[in-house]
Amino acid sequence: MTPIVAIVGRPNVGKSTLFNRWAGAKLAIVHDAPGVTRDRHYADTILQGRKLTLIDTGGFDPNSEDPMQQGITRQVQAAIAEADVVVCLLDGLTAPTAADSQAVRLLRQSDKPCLFVANRVDNAAQVDQSLDLYRLGVDHIFAISALHGRGMAELETAICKGLPRTSEPEEIADNPIPRIALVGRPNAGKSSLLNRLAGGERSLVDSRPGTTRDPIDVDLEIDGHRYQVVDTAGIRRKSKVDEAVELESIMRAIRSVERAHVAVLVCDITQGIAEQDQRLLGLCMDRNRALLVALNKCDLLNKDEQKARLKIAADALHFAKWVRVVPMSVKSGFGVKDLMSDVRQVFTQFGQRVPTGELNRFFAEVLERKSPPTQGGRAPRLYYLTQVSSAPPVFVAMCSYADKIKESYKRFVINQLRVRFGFDSVPIVLHFRERSRKER
């Protein structure tokens, strides 16, 4: 799974500036006024070749009686609980404060790898000024300038050393039992679906949203087929999240998606596909999971209403046209068998490997039908296509002028792969790689 790095510290020490530098975009609001960042922000990035997820937290001030500050403190604690490495940011130009001392004490109790960083150290003269932070009793302090990039290389090297080792991608043959993550907004019917599949109440069902806190793993056997099903906490929009326990549930739900083969997004068809459903689907796509969308509560609509809602749902999912949509009703059982049949199919496709010879016969047909367009006076030439891994299926096309191949042509080849080899509801990763002089 992707390791998590959390950035914590008291208000207005430059956490969002550091987050934006590593994320490569202005994803967090930066302002001189303390307390601007209230909710956690997430971003996938790469540091020194290691892929990781960043968490930007609000300003930590545990002694404040302000309810907003107390909520931020709970967020910080939830982020630390899920992080693999914590970066504690301090102001290198001011003396340590009581909030800094509290943060150091909290991090020592967490027993997590923690790096203490003095920010705003823009030149060598200010390094001596930052030494006052050693009064906090820490062994080493990295002096950086998040705004100008000073000292970042040393800090990034230390972060990567603290990350857990990555394991080799698991092949489907190593574990032929599908792992399914049920995700969705609160009260969409995830727990009810798990209970129907299990034939009993394995997960608490309640009409109030937010009932499920922890992911629940259940081993099932249905019609002679074995499954591992994870019922995750409902994920709301950040503006709706107030409780620290629910914040931690969100992180665990994201972890559940990462270790699943198939993610099933459960939606309430009576409410339609909301913006948060689209975000959740995008999260699963970013993590390259096989995907199914289950539109629950069809029993509450007549046939004409179902047809109209299905069309609206298809329009809302226009960015993922390759994902199967399954209408169902957990209450009546309608469509549940179809859903599990689709799970088996997409799981098989997720682990499918296409022989190189068959791939290249297909590739020759694709090139005959449509070759990559000329760009900047360069005509890319494609040599062959090979599959380098499965779960998800990853393909590499060897070519000349790889940087000249347009994204539209990449989408065209991916769509042709879907049509020919049946990668339905499965993400396809395609890389164009330029052959070296020796290979040519």
Side-chain angles (χ1 to χ4, degrees):
M1 293 185 290
T2 307
I4 293 175
V5 175
I7 305 172
V8 303
R10 62 180 172 84
N12 203 29
V13 293
K15 296 183 299 297
S16 295
T17 302
L18 180 61
F19 175 85
N20 288 340
R21 170 172 284 278
W22 278 334
K26 291 185 177 180
L27 302 179
I29 301 171
V30 178
H31 197 278
D32 289 338
V36 171
T37 305
R38 295 178 179 176
D39 290 319
R40 290 183 298 172
H41 294 261
Y42 307 95
D44 292 329
T45 190
I46 296 175
L47 291 185
Q48 297 191 356
R50 289 294 304 273
K51 184 177 180 181
L52 52 88
T53 298
L54 292 173
I55 306 176
D56 178 32
T57 63
F60 178 74
D61 188 1
N63 295 323
S64 174
E65 296 182 359
D66 180 6
M68 177 68 73
Q69 279 295 331
Q70 292 175 357
I72 290 174
T73 298
R74 292 194 299 270
Q75 291 185 31
V76 172
Q77 292 169 337
I80 292 171
E82 288 299 318
D84 296 293
V85 173
V86 180
V87 175
C88 180
L89 208 61
L90 308 163
D91 190 335
L93 303 183
T94 62
T97 66
D100 292 330
S101 299
Q102 286 274 33
V104 171
R105 190 176 299 114
L106 177 67
L107 290 168
R108 282 174 173 160
Q109 292 171 354
S110 72
D111 199 29
K112 291 289 179 76
C114 183
L115 304 175
F116 296 92
V117 181
N119 189 29
R120 297 175 177 156
V121 182
D122 297 332
N123 53 59
Q126 292 175 335
V127 172
D128 292 339
Q129 190 173 349
S130 69
L131 296 178
D132 195 30
L133 294 172
Y134 278 100
R135 285 196 293 158
L136 294 168
V138 299
D139 295 331
H140 182 73
I141 294 177
F142 296 86
I144 70 161
S145 170
L147 184 61
H148 301 112
R150 186 182 188 277
M152 296 300 296
E154 184 185 3
L155 174 59
E156 291 170 6
T157 299
I159 289 173
C160 292
K161 284 183 179 179
L163 296 177
R165 291 184 178 181
T166 55
S167 57
E168 291 295 320
E170 181 188 71
E171 294 284 345
I172 293 297
D174 299 330
N175 184 11
I177 302 174
R179 283 198 301 270
I180 309 163
L182 304 180
V183 299
R185 290 184 292 150
N187 210 28
K190 301 181 299 299
S191 298
S192 298
L193 176 58
L194 174 60
N195 289 338
R196 173 169 281 276
L197 294 174
E201 188 166 325
R202 302 294 292 269
S203 186
L204 179 63
V205 178
D206 196 292
S207 60
R208 293 168 298 177
T211 305
T212 304
R213 296 297 193 188
D214 296 317
I216 301 168
D217 290 39
V218 180
D219 292 328
L220 302 176
E221 184 170 332
I222 304 171
D223 296 331
H225 299 280
R226 293 177 62 193
Y227 305 91
Q228 292 176 346
V229 184
V230 181
D231 177 26
T232 62
I235 304 179
R236 312 185 199 184
R237 292 183 59 183
K238 288 181 185 176
S239 61
K240 302 284 179 123
V241 177
D242 297 318
E243 300 180 34
V245 65
E246 188 164 15
L247 290 168
E248 192 168 353
S249 296
I250 291 171
M251 288 303 302
R252 290 179 179 175
I254 292 173
R255 289 292 206 193
S256 298
V257 169
E258 288 188 337
R259 64 188 177 90
H261 299 119
V262 182
V264 177
L265 175 63
V266 183
C267 305
D268 184 339
I269 193 172
T270 64
Q271 297 182 9
I273 303 293
E275 183 180 356
Q276 184 65 357
D277 293 318
Q278 294 173 324
R279 288 198 183 108
L280 286 172
L281 194 64
L283 182 148
C284 297
M285 291 169 64
D286 289 342
R287 281 151 178 79
N288 288 320
R289 300 298 92 187
L291 281 167
L292 292 168
V293 175
L295 295 181
N296 188 27
K297 305 184 182 180
C298 285
D299 58 305
L300 301 179
L301 305 174
N302 60 41
K303 288 187 176 180
D304 290 338
E305 290 172 332
Q306 284 185 33
K307 188 175 180 181
R309 294 282 183 168
L310 285 170
K311 186 179 184 306
I312 293 172
D315 292 340
L317 299 173
H318 63 89
F319 62 97
K321 293 181 179 179
W322 49 275
V323 176
R324 293 189 197 181
V325 177
V326 184
M328 71 171 194
S329 167
V330 174
K331 186 176 181 179
S332 69
F334 163 73
V336 174
K337 282 193 174 182
D338 293 336
L339 174 66
M340 299 312 293
S341 175
D342 285 347
V343 165
R344 291 196 302 274
Q345 289 181 32
V346 300
F347 172 71
T348 300
Q349 295 167 9
F350 192 59
Q352 179 181 353
R353 276 189 173 272
V354 183
T356 301
E358 190 176 346
L359 263 181
N360 283 291
R361 286 191 292 273
F362 151 80
F363 203 37
E365 296 173 13
V366 169
L367 291 176
E368 188 175 345
R369 191 178 309 127
K370 183 179 180 180
S371 57
T374 302
Q375 186 178 5
R378 302 287 189 181
R381 183 179 177 185
L382 303 183
Y383 301 109
Y384 66 89
L385 181 68
T386 186
Q387 183 177 358
V388 296
S389 65
S390 62
V394 179
F395 299 90
V396 173
M398 302 302 296
C399 61
S400 62
Y401 306 117
D403 59 327
K404 301 296 182 184
I405 295 178
K406 295 182 177 179
E407 191 66 27
S408 58
Y409 189 76
K410 181 178 179 179
R411 288 195 300 269
F412 166 74
V413 175
I414 288 176
N415 288 334
Q416 296 303 307
L417 283 166
R418 291 193 191 286
V419 173
R420 172 64 70 87
F421 301 110
F423 288 109
D424 184 21
S425 246
V426 173
I428 294 177
V429 181
L430 174 62
H431 301 293
F432 288 92
R433 188 162 73 87
E434 196 161 326
R435 294 208 302 187
S436 65
R437 185 182 300 274
K438 183 177 180 180
E439 289 174 318
R440 290 198 296 270

